[in-house]
Amino acid sequence: MSLLEILLLSFFILMALSIIYSTLAVGISPMPSSGKARQAMLKLCKDTGKGEIVDFGSGWGHFVIAAAKTFPDRKITGYELSWIPYLTAYALKFIFNLNNLTLKRADFLTAELSSTSVLVCYLYPGAMKAIADKLATEQHHLHYIISNNFACPTLMPTKTLQLDDFYRSPVYLYRL
Ligand SMILES: C[S@@+](CC[C@H](N)C(=O)[O-])C[C@H]1O[C@@H](n2cnc3c(N)ncnc32)[C@H](O)[C@@H]1O
């Protein structure tokens, strides 16, 4: 094996280890939302005015990149803890020249939501509970929550879109 091959292999192993470590640390892998789910979330965002959209757990950037392109005059922000997905999304932001997109490598539970209008997420039940607790105890001006697949335990959805996929997956809209 040549030195270049060893370096490349080590690089890919480090990337894989970093993703596995983050997945175990935060409790969910950076699996992107499906194309159908993304379209449903974007459709729901269309009727939410002009305010900032924040993705809690932006992963590789699938939703935030699409949102920044679809809504060029809205501010889009993504929070992500896992380094490799975060850096990939960061590179895509520059490749597509998306000046309305801000990416933060930070825990979304520390996010300050005073200027955020729409919260979007694709997470898991434990994280939905943590978000509900955060919203109940902190000042915010959120108007909408859009959640792919996982319901918010303390709220009744205003609208639920059912995806045309194998699981008939729900995408929830909550108006606060
Ligand atoms: C299933 S992915 C969703 C990716 C993206 N939102 C999409 O729709 O394509 C969930 C992401 O949330 C991130 N995550 C989980 N808990 C987090 C936290 N407390 N702060 C920031 N990111 C977190 C994970 O690292 C993972 O990349």
Side-chain angles (χ1 to χ4, degrees), residues 22-23 26-34 38 41 55-64 79-82 85 104 106-109 120-124 127 148:
S22 294
T23 299
V26 302
I28 187 168
S29 73
M31 187 170 79
S33 44
S34 68
R38 222 157 40 239
M41 291 189 281
D55 185 4
F56 271 12
S58 45
W60 306 93
H62 286 73
F63 175 77
V64 283
Y79 282 83
E80 176 55 54
L81 273 176
S82 186
K104 300 186 177 179
D107 185 340
F108 56 62
L109 293 176
V120 173
C121 52
Y122 175 32
L123 292 164
Y124 59 98
N148 179 9

Side-chain angles (χ1 to χ4, degrees), residues 15-121:
M15 282 196 356
L17 287 178
S18 166
I19 292 171
I20 291 167
Y21 172 80
S22 294
T23 299
L24 295 175
V26 302
I28 187 168
S29 73
M31 187 170 79
S33 44
S34 68
K36 284 178 181 171
R38 222 157 40 239
Q39 288 312 314
M41 291 189 281
L42 290 171
K43 186 175 168 193
L44 291 173
C45 282
K46 281 198 174 114
D47 296 324
T48 60
K50 292 277 171 207
E52 182 188 17
I53 301 172
V54 170
D55 185 4
F56 271 12
S58 45
W60 306 93
H62 286 73
F63 175 77
V64 283
I65 299 278
K69 287 180 176 175
T70 308
F71 307 112
D73 49 358
R74 289 179 83 164
K75 189 172 180 232
I76 314 292
T77 301
Y79 282 83
E80 176 55 54
L81 273 176
S82 186
W83 272 107
I84 306 295
Y86 164 77
L87 289 173
T88 305
Y90 206 82
L92 291 172
K93 165 187 155 63
F94 281 102
I95 289 169
F96 293 117
N97 195 23
L98 297 170
N99 296 321
N100 58 332
L101 173 60
T102 303
L103 294 165
K104 300 186 177 179
R105 208 206 69 85
D107 185 340
F108 56 62
L109 293 176
T110 65
E112 204 268 307
L113 296 172
S114 61
S115 62
T116 302
S117 173
V118 184
L119 167 56
V120 173
C121 52

Side-chain angles (χ1 to χ4, degrees), residues 119 121 124-125 127-133 135-136 142 145-157 172-174 176:
L119 167 56
C121 52
Y124 59 98
M128 297 310 291
K129 163 89 173 65
I131 291 171
D133 292 346
L135 298 182
L142 273 184
I145 298 174
I146 295 169
S147 178
N148 179 9
N149 213 52
F150 297 100
C152 188
T154 53
L155 298 171
M156 283 291 287
Y172 301 101
L173 169 76
Y174 301 92
L176 306 182

